[in-house]
Amino acid sequence: GDAQELLSLKAVVGTNHIRICVQEAFGQPIIFAVIDNLLRGAAGQALMNANLLAGISPFQNLETTLR
């Protein structure tokens, strides 16, 4: 699809996926990327660490495709 469809947040929310689009502008490549950083950022990392401290799977309570 077009760049707008490719870079839709709906495509990555709740996943560990990234969508990347490369386009040309003024003879230079322009790179766009979309991620769900709630799972890849500090919030997801904090939950994974808390799970490990509790002795359970780091993926417990993370509804995602990280497994």
Side-chain angles (χ1 to χ4, degrees):
D2 66 353
Q4 187 173 8
E5 179 182 327
L6 179 66
L7 295 175
S8 170
L9 286 174
K10 291 179 183 179
V12 296
V13 169
T15 73
N16 191 31
H17 298 143
I18 183 170
R19 289 288 183 106
I20 300 172
C21 179
V22 180
Q23 295 187 336
E24 182 269 333
F26 306 104
Q28 298 292 315
I30 307 294
I31 302 170
F32 301 92
V34 178
I35 63 169
D36 180 354
N37 87 345
L38 289 178
L39 295 175
R40 299 296 302 160
Q45 185 64 47
L47 184 53
M48 291 177 86
N49 289 337
N51 288 344
L52 288 171
L53 287 172
I56 59 177
S57 166
F59 301 105
Q60 185 76 30
N61 301 314
L62 280 176
E63 295 179 16
T64 178
T65 59
L66 285 172
R67 299 174 195 200

